[in-house]
Each structure stands twice: as C-alpha cells, then as structure tokens.
C-alpha cells in the first residue's frame, strides 16, 4: 500500500482475532520504533515486547479501553490483543520523552498496519501495577502501551461535524470523526 493510504486507513483496533503474531515481527516493530525521530537525537526509549498469553492477561488488566463508548469496546476474552509493546523511557537519559515516544509509537502503528496487523495506542495504563508486573527498574517511566493483533473489526473514519467523539452505530461499527481538512488548513497565512 502506498504510504499515504497506509496512514489514512490505519484505525485503532480494539477487537482482535486470536491468531498469534510472530515474535520476529514484533521485534521488527521495535526496530521500526528505534528509527523514529528523537529530539536532539537523545534516545531514552526502551521497549518490552509481551507475547506470552499469561503475561498478556496481566498487561490487559492494566489497561482501559475506548472511554467514549465504555464498556462496549472493552475486548471480550476472545477479542483481546495477542501481543503488546510497552514503551518506556529512561528518565536518567531524558526527563520528558513524551514527544519522542509519540513519534516512535506512530512508527509501530504504521509498520504493523503495513502488514495487516491492527493496533491500539493506550495511554490509560495503570503504570504502577505494570511496572511491577514486568519487573521494570525505578529509573524508567512507562509512556504508553501498544496493543497488537490481527483486526476483528473495521472502524470507519469520517469528517467530523460539531464533535469529535467516536461512536458506535446500530451495527456495532466504530465511527471515528476527524476534523475536515478545510477547517484546519491555512495556506501562506492564517485565516480564510
Ligand atoms: C496519546 C494517546 C492515548 C490513547 N489512549 C487510549 C486508551 O487508553 N485507550 C483506548 O482505547 N484508546 C486510546 N487511544 C486511541 C484513541 O482513542 C484513538 O487514536 C482515537 O480515537 C482516534 O482513532 P484512530 O486511532 O482510529 O484514528 C489513545 C491515542 C493516543 C494518541
């Protein structure tokens, strides 16, 4: 797929088929994250790949899903992600690596989607619990968790009207409103 179409067609996925992902593929996603831009090229990010079912269950218990349609997009036991990448920052290298993490995470989402693998970026994470579960050292902060798996839903993007809250229609399809280009684009100067 052309990169621009890949970017536009990626949607957050919260229902997954239970097909396992190859460990090497997950490592390749971290390799893609590693290549992302970082402020001053100071790289504080590290990654924990989780693909063992017992550990996946523990990670799942630390996450909160789709607040606007809660609890309708909480994955059921047979819809859960089959892997996770936990994105960490070493606070001794950089105090605030949130923007660096965002650029690395977007690489993960797009590299995954390029191979037909769905993802959801999760910021609602019980970080203290997850640090303990994964035995992560004190100098690290958990930035985000990326949930991964083969998609079992097909959300649709649409132009937003007044609001931007995603919603479910009567067929249980998730709609994701994005602000229309004409509302956010300015050329050569700000304004109409
Ligand atoms: C910083 C950040 C944190 C997010 N945290 C969560 C989360 O905790 N739970 C969740 O279900 N989705 C989360 N999302 C996914 C957003 O809800 C999703 O990106 C948004 O609704 C737009 O949908 P799209 O990704 O399909 O374009 C997060 C996204 C970002 C960028």
């Amino acid at each position: 797929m052309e990169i621009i179409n890949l970017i536009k067609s990626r949607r957050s996925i919260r229902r997954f088929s239970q097909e396992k992902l190859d460990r090497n593929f997950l490592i390749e996603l971290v390799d893609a994250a590693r290549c992302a831009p970082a402020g001053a090229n100071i790289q504080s990010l590290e990654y924990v790949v989780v693909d063992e079912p017992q550990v996946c269950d523990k990670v799942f218990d630390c996450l909160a899903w789709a607040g606007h349609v809660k609890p309708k997009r909480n994955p059921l036991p047979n819809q859960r992600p089959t892997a996770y990448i936990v994105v960490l920052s070493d606070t001794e290298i950089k105090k605030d690596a949130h923007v660096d993490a965002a650029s690395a995470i977007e690489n993960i989402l797009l590299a995954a989607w390029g191979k037909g693998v769905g993802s959801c970026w999760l910021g609602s994470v019980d970080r203290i619990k997850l640090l303990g579960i994964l035995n992560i050292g004190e100098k690290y902060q958990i930035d985000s968790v990326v949930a991964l798996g083969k998609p079992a839903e097909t959300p649709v993007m649409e132009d937003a009207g007044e609001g931007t809250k995603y919603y479910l229609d009567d067929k249980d399809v998730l709609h994701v409103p994005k602000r229309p280009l004409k509302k956010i684009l300015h050329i050569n100067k700000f304004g109409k």
Side-chain angles (χ1 to χ4, degrees), residues 68-69 156-167 174-180 183-184:
H68 292 315
V69 296
V156 292
M157 184 177 86
E158 61 195 24
D159 274 356
E162 288 304 304
T164 57
K165 281 187 182 169
Y166 49 83
Y167 63 95
L174 185 71
H175 291 251
V176 184
K178 299 284 183 188
R179 295 178 72 198
K183 289 231 167 136
I184 59 166

Side-chain angles (χ1 to χ4, degrees), residues 10-14 64-68 73 98 109 120-125 144 155 157 166 174 176 178:
R10 181 215 55 82
R11 297 275 64 79
S12 293
I13 298 298
R14 300 181 181 87
W65 298 84
H68 292 315
R73 272 302 181 275
H98 203 50
L109 308 189
C120 188
W121 176 343
L122 292 119
S124 295
V125 179
S144 301
M157 184 177 86
Y166 49 83
L174 185 71
V176 184
K178 299 284 183 188

Side-chain angles (χ1 to χ4, degrees), residues 9-71:
S9 64
R10 181 215 55 82
R11 297 275 64 79
S12 293
I13 298 298
R14 300 181 181 87
R15 287 182 166 176
F16 301 91
S17 83
Q18 297 305 288
E19 199 181 323
K20 283 208 69 163
L21 299 177
D22 188 79
R23 167 90 48 96
N24 288 328
F25 172 68
L26 296 167
I27 292 169
E28 211 178 0
L29 296 182
V30 173
D31 203 25
R34 181 179 73 86
C35 301
N41 206 27
I42 298 167
Q43 297 156 55
S44 64
L45 302 178
E46 297 189 27
Y47 306 86
V48 183
V49 168
V50 176
D51 63 355
E52 275 181 18
Q54 300 88 328
V55 190
C56 284
D57 284 346
K58 289 182 181 163
V59 174
F60 182 84
D61 290 341
C62 298
L63 307 175
W65 298 84
H68 292 315
V69 296
K70 201 175 163 184

Side-chain angles (χ1 to χ4, degrees), residues 125-171:
V125 179
D126 184 337
R127 290 177 170 78
I128 294 176
K129 189 166 157 185
L130 190 54
L131 283 169
I133 288 167
L134 299 176
N135 196 29
I136 295 166
E138 275 178 12
K139 65 175 179 167
Y140 291 96
Q141 254 171 11
I142 294 176
D143 185 274
S144 301
V145 174
V146 180
L148 293 155
K150 287 282 169 75
E153 67 165 338
T154 311
V156 292
M157 184 177 86
E158 61 195 24
D159 274 356
E162 288 304 304
T164 57
K165 281 187 182 169
Y166 49 83
Y167 63 95
L168 294 166
D169 67 17
D170 53 10
K171 294 198 174 76

